Amino acid sequence: MMHIQTLILGAGAAGMMAAAHSGPGVVIIDHAKAAGEKIRISGGGRCNFTNIGTTPAQFISQNRHFAKSALKRYTQWDFINLVSDYKIAWHEKTLGQLFCDDTAKDVVAMLRAEMDKAGAQLMLNTSISDIAHDGTHFIATLTRDGTETAVTATNLIVATGGKSIPKMGATGLAYQIAAQFDVDVITPRPGLVPLTFSDDRFKLLAGVATPSNVTTNDTTFSEALLFTHRGLSGPAILQASSYWTEGDAITVNLIPTADLYDKLRSARTTSPKKALTTIMSQHLPARLIDYIKDEFALHGNIADHSDVRLQAICADLASWDLLPSGSEGYRTAEVTLGGVNTDALSSKTMGVKSVPGLYFIGEAVDVTGWLGGYNFQWAWSSGWAAGQAI
Ligand code: FDA
């Protein structure tokens, strides 16, 4: 029998952060063969580890106030200082997104070093079963290489993430533990995920990217849109997908910079004999214009089109309504929306109000960030908050 102070389930971003801040007597387990695997592959191998502009406004939750406390107490600047202390070089790519100059492995190594400094014991290739609570302690069985060890712990921090990318070890264990302890779970669903269409309508456009505004359920994102074999992707769609549920339409504005009308009018004066599609291909991808020319009636020479007609074309391009049939699902979703209902948790400690010593952190909780480093910031902030409480 192993007696410890704190057992942490999941050595991902949130679990490692908590392990580094939970004081002595910490064991952190993971069924994977390495810690921080999502960190390692994130941001194309360079890890978009936070966002300079992080505020609670970039997080989705049934309780939009819940994330405020943790984000305020452990901020993006705290994590930037930590990264800088470890002399990990970083740069801002776009929209406040910070990436490692070199490799995401530096962030994993930094967290491993912080855990070592705190004396936390990491057990990989380890699974957990038979979790119970005897009123004072959590009791469980850990299994590694076929050997079972019974463990008792005063605190149990659940940091096993959501359901996204099962191939990387996502299991939904957090939801099972929540159910066992009568903690409500908001139905999980894939977020930051490409949207699909049941027909092959965009197959011919696969690989074409264009600036856009994408709106769904009154929320608009201005970023790139990417056509794929199965539908739509790119940052604008990934962001919108977190606000989209099956049956909802999306509206795509293909001319977000809004001066196309003026450009078409002036082309009508300077090059009246040019085809409308030729002129438009100077401002939008030619393959896209070729694809939409029938749907938007982009026929004839530019000189054939009155101001009213040009205005109508621009209006159509600015409000292209589409009805996705689904999403690529957990197979490729970067995050899981929903999760442990924040009503059950203290926003200061991430502790379950009705079960002293039980904590949920990171993606397992019903707090989901936008694309752009916000989800790691939530993992750092919530992991730190739980660690401080122990
Ligand atoms: P995380 O999923 O990181 O960790 C959970 C851990 O629990 C894993 O190590 C898993 O093996 C373990 N586990 C699960 N079930 C278990 C079980 N039954 N027994 C034992 N262990 C178990 N975010 C961002 O801010 N910037 C970015 O650049 C990216 N990029 C990115 C790329 C890709 C491809 C994905 C899939 C995701 C991102 N994200 C991201 C999102 C980010 O990775 C995610 O929000 C955090 O990793 C969540 O941290 P957690 O620690 O909560 O879960």
Side-chain angles (χ1 to χ4, degrees):
M1 175 77 81
M2 179 161 71
H3 301 284
I4 55 172
Q5 186 64 19
T6 302
L7 176 61
I8 301 179
L9 308 183
M16 292 171 85
M17 192 68 179
H21 291 278
S22 294
V26 173
V27 170
I28 173 169
I29 71 142
D30 203 296
H31 63 175
K33 63 179 191 307
E37 280 294 86
K38 275 194 186 163
I39 301 173
R40 184 180 61 79
I41 62 147
S42 67
R46 290 221 163 89
C47 184
N48 176 195
F49 56 81
T50 192
N51 193 297
I52 289 179
T54 303
T55 71
Q58 295 100 17
F59 294 85
I60 302 163
S61 171
Q62 231 172 56
N63 176 356
R64 61 194 176 84
H65 301 294
F66 180 80
K68 282 182 183 169
S69 168
L71 292 172
K72 195 170 162 195
R73 290 169 67 224
Y74 190 89
T75 69
Q76 59 271 40
W77 302 108
D78 291 317
F79 197 77
I80 292 166
N81 286 339
L82 181 63
V83 164
S84 301
D85 285 348
Y86 276 78
K87 308 216 172 338
I88 298 172
W90 52 267
H91 60 279
E92 180 185 347
K93 201 166 170 186
T94 174
L95 302 172
Q97 302 167 6
L98 302 192
F99 287 76
C100 299
D101 281 359
D102 191 10
T103 165
K105 288 181 197 159
D106 290 343
V107 175
V108 180
M110 176 189 81
L111 293 167
R112 289 288 303 266
E114 285 286 288
M115 289 196 325
D116 288 349
K117 218 160 73 183
Q121 183 191 344
L122 173 64
M123 292 174 67
L124 296 169
N125 296 307
T126 302
S127 60
I128 185 160
S129 55
D130 309 326
I131 302 168
H133 192 236
D134 66 4
T136 332
H137 293 98
F138 294 90
I139 306 159
T141 304
L142 304 182
T143 305
R144 178 160 61 169
D145 298 332
T147 306
E148 291 190 347
T149 309
V151 60
T152 66
T154 310
N155 306 297
L156 180 66
I157 302 182
V158 184
T160 47
K163 288 184 165 185
S164 301
I165 323 236
K167 242 167 67 183
M168 293 194 68
T171 59
L173 176 65
Y175 314 134
Q176 289 165 33
I177 297 175
Q180 183 185 340
F181 288 96
D182 287 328
V183 173
D184 185 43
V185 171
I186 311 278
T187 307
R189 61 190 175 87
L192 300 181
V193 65
L195 298 176
T196 55
F197 292 78
S198 49
D199 49 23
D200 284 344
R201 72 176 74 180
F202 296 125
K203 204 171 164 187
L204 288 173
L205 281 178
V208 171
T210 190
S212 70
N213 290 345
V214 175
T215 303
T216 190
N217 290 312
D218 300 325
T219 306
T220 300
F221 290 95
S222 305
E223 290 191 60
L225 168 85
L226 174 70
F227 294 91
T228 70
H229 282 94
R230 287 164 49 83
L232 298 173
S233 187
I237 292 294
L238 298 184
Q239 300 277 34
S241 74
S242 293
Y243 290 83
W244 177 88
T245 44
E246 227 156 290
D248 292 339
I250 61 170
T251 302
V252 176
N253 177 351
L254 291 169
I255 49 167
T257 47
D259 56 355
L260 183 67
Y261 173 64
D262 293 336
K263 286 174 178 159
L264 293 179
R265 283 188 79 214
S266 86
R268 195 176 52 193
T269 311
T270 54
S271 328
K273 292 205 172 127
K274 282 203 173 157
L276 175 63
T277 49
T278 306
I279 301 290
M280 291 191 67
S281 298
Q282 292 164 6
H283 307 292
L284 286 154
R287 276 170 68 198
L288 175 59
I289 293 300
D290 192 46
Y291 177 85
I292 60 174
K293 67 176 189 258
D294 292 332
E295 185 170 346
F296 291 96
L298 308 179
H299 302 306
N301 291 339
I302 182 88
D304 303 336
H305 296 272
S306 65
D307 283 357
V308 171
R309 176 66 197 133
L310 292 181
Q311 255 167 354
I313 288 171
C314 290
D316 286 348
L317 290 171
S319 56
W320 192 18
D321 290 328
L322 296 166
L323 192 63
S325 55
S327 82
E328 293 285 3
Y330 290 120
R331 190 178 59 81
T332 64
E334 276 197 21
V335 287
T336 302
L337 293 148
V340 171
N341 191 332
T342 58
D343 285 351
L345 306 179
S346 153
S347 62
K348 192 170 174 214
T349 67
M350 305 295 130
V352 174
K353 291 172 194 162
S354 58
V355 187
L358 179 60
Y359 300 80
F360 289 91
I361 57 175
E363 200 175 312
V365 177
D366 173 36
V367 173
T368 307
W370 289 359
L371 188 77
Y374 303 105
N375 284 297
F376 278 139
Q377 186 58 45
W378 172 245
W380 317 137
S381 297
S382 60
W384 182 91
Q388 293 305 301
I390 284 168

